[in-house]
Amino acid sequence: MKEDLFKDYQERLNVLDENIRAVALNYARDFYLNKNCSKEEAIERGIVKAEMEKRNLDRNG
């Protein structure tokens, strides 16, 4: 379902690491459904949040 929701952004998602992509899609779905964001804004915010989270984990772990 998540991937269908953002299928128009598949090209943008394909450049991401598989783990980042999965987390970003979860965040994007939440942003889109709960924060009144457009799909484009939701996917970008989801990607940024997932990448920032990964960087923090890499730095602290």
Side-chain angles (χ1 to χ4, degrees):
M1 179 201 147
K2 289 177 285 203
E3 291 174 6
D4 289 341
L5 184 62
F6 297 105
K7 68 181 176 185
D8 295 342
Y9 301 95
Q10 196 62 43
E11 192 173 308
R12 173 73 170 105
L13 293 166
N14 285 343
V15 299
L16 300 172
D17 176 82
E18 186 176 330
N19 296 327
I20 295 285
R21 182 172 46 244
V23 173
L25 280 168
N26 283 330
Y27 287 139
R29 185 191 68 221
D30 290 342
F31 283 131
Y32 181 67
L33 296 176
N34 301 321
K35 301 287 187 191
N36 240 3
C37 295
S38 68
K39 285 184 184 180
E40 183 176 10
E41 182 180 2
I43 200 73
E44 291 302 324
R45 288 176 71 179
I47 290 168
V48 167
K49 187 170 181 175
E51 288 179 340
M52 288 177 64
E53 190 175 273
K54 183 180 186 309
R55 283 191 197 124
N56 285 336
L57 290 175
D58 288 347
R59 191 175 332 137
N60 296 326

